[in-house]
Amino acid sequence: MTMNERARAVLRGNDRGGYTIPTDGLYPYQWNWDSAFSALGFATFDRARAWEELEKLFEAQWPNGMVPHIIFRADEPGYFPGPSIWQADMGPMPSSGISQPPVVASVIRALAEAEPEQAAGFIKRIDAWHEWWHRARDPKGTGVIAITHPWESGRDNLPDWDRPGDMIDVSGVGEYTRSDTSLVDNDMRPEKQDYDRYLALVYFGRERQWDPEKIAVENPFFVADPGITSILLRAEKDLHVLARGAGHETARIEDRITRLENGLELLWNEDAGGYVARDMRSGDQSRRASAASFLPLYAGILTHKEELLTTLREFAERVRYLVPSFDPRDEHFDHIRYWRGPAWAMINFMIANGLRDIGEYNWADRIRSDTRELIRNGGFAEYFSPIDGRGCGGGTFSWTAAIWLAWELDE
Ligand code: GLC
């Protein structure tokens, strides 16, 4: 089988009937941004299936506009924490009570060129979701979007969440059995202290019926994320193109774009050489750059372009494969532990496309070819060591296969 054939087989194999799971066993439900990237992969060989994926994602949209991070369609007793722990039944079907990086508008814009009418059918629903991000996760209008749970960032155990996480009281968490560590090597997964915090935040949210207003005020964890903020800004710009093309009113979208463009500077950290998380309770900033530090470029923000390219060069001196998820010069860097160092195909895709769009072709090509080599050698793994290139975490992973196809890495 060619790599392209294998990639298609991974997506088909993870298809559960109109929606795609990230990988069997470890992640047996529909995850939000995984699903959006899967649609991008399907679009290269089955357009109808790509649109179906996106429809299925929005089927779970809450009345308040939120599109949840996990949709619990089938019952999978092997997964923890499942629907009975989340108790988030505010939407049309069981789901988690938080969201995930809003890449959907950007995916739909990519599909819209060939099928503008299909795309137009999503504009209102995307608009409601984007509006939710501003209202629920930036109620004071600072222009930066906060996450209320590390899982909401999509970058679960990034060291940026360590210090803000100290404020989380884990005394009520009690005993529990994780399912992930029996499926994947312990060294590659978040640690127990992280997991205690993840659960404490789930209990906190469910006690408030996942009410975003209460959560914005009371949640012990409310941390502005350069990842979500940049991905949303890029998505707002893509939504703007879709809305204008379909003849919709765009003033509201323009306001949101301006707010985010002005806000991002709050996350700039000169010493780190990048955009970093900011704890919105204490005002503290993270001290080190991460892969998300480069995403403002993907959102078209060029204010600190030169400094960011310097940081990227420094990263490149320390690792064989770009882009490590966390600064490889830091003591917390760990090349195989999830978001504390490893490289991820879909993050590379966004960073490289951003660099290409601003004319940084050499860097864009370097990241693309690193990604190709990682996947060729390491397989369709969940993520990769940026040091030795080994494939880590789960295997036969949807978004890695999708990026292989969407980026035409076979050429
Ligand atoms: C992990 C990742 C997250 C992803 C999910 C399913 O939680 O951190 O980004 O969406 O797994 O693949």
Side-chain angles (χ1 to χ4, degrees), residues 80-254:
F80 179 83
S84 62
I85 308 282
W86 282 91
Q87 297 170 15
D89 49 11
M90 294 74 201
M93 59 188 71
S95 71
S96 69
I98 57 172
S99 198
Q100 242 192 349
V103 292
V104 169
S106 304
V107 166
I108 291 190
R109 183 180 168 193
L111 303 192
E113 247 160 71
E115 291 162 292
E117 270 146 44
Q118 293 266 31
F122 284 89
I123 294 172
K124 286 209 173 107
R125 289 176 283 173
I126 299 173
D127 185 61
W129 185 24
H130 288 187
E131 188 70 33
W132 174 86
W133 277 107
H134 291 263
R135 199 176 56 242
R137 301 303 193 235
D138 179 25
K140 293 188 178 152
T142 58
V144 288
I145 305 293
I147 54 163
T148 58
H149 194 297
W151 286 337
E152 201 157 55
S153 71
R155 300 175 341 277
D156 306 2
N157 63 339
L158 187 73
D160 288 41
W161 321 134
D162 291 357
R163 257 199 319 158
D166 287 342
M167 298 307 293
I168 303 167
D169 173 11
V170 298
S171 60
V173 164
E175 294 288 309
Y176 59 93
T177 308
R178 288 167 66 169
S179 49
D180 60 323
T181 39
S182 64
L183 296 163
V184 170
D185 195 338
N186 261 316
D187 295 343
M188 297 185 180
R189 296 291 305 174
E191 300 190 61
K192 168 150 170 54
Q193 175 186 278
D194 300 315
Y195 241 79
D196 285 351
R197 292 174 175 185
Y198 300 159
L199 283 179
L201 288 173
V202 170
Y203 297 153
F204 193 91
R206 79 178 186 196
E207 275 159 26
R208 283 152 191 81
Q209 281 82 50
W210 301 105
D211 174 347
E213 276 178 43
K214 285 190 188 146
I215 288 175
V217 178
E218 299 167 16
N219 207 55
F221 187 89
F222 201 74
V223 184
D225 174 19
I228 294 275
T229 304
S230 307
I231 287 170
L232 181 61
L233 176 53
R234 171 69 185 244
E236 294 281 30
K237 290 180 175 178
D238 290 326
L239 177 65
H240 188 255
V241 172
L242 294 173
R244 215 180 27 202
H248 288 226
E249 173 56 53
T250 55
R252 229 160 61 138
I253 306 175
E254 282 152 22

Side-chain angles (χ1 to χ4, degrees), residues 319-354:
V319 297
R320 165 66 190 82
Y321 302 95
L322 289 173
V323 178
S325 46
F326 190 63
D327 191 330
R329 295 165 294 188
D330 190 77
E331 53 173 347
H332 293 106
F333 174 82
D334 179 339
H335 75 120
I336 58 166
R337 198 182 288 280
Y338 226 39
W339 291 97
R340 300 178 89 85
W344 296 70
M346 77 298 176
I347 296 278
N348 282 6
F349 181 76
M350 291 187 284
I351 295 175
N353 285 349

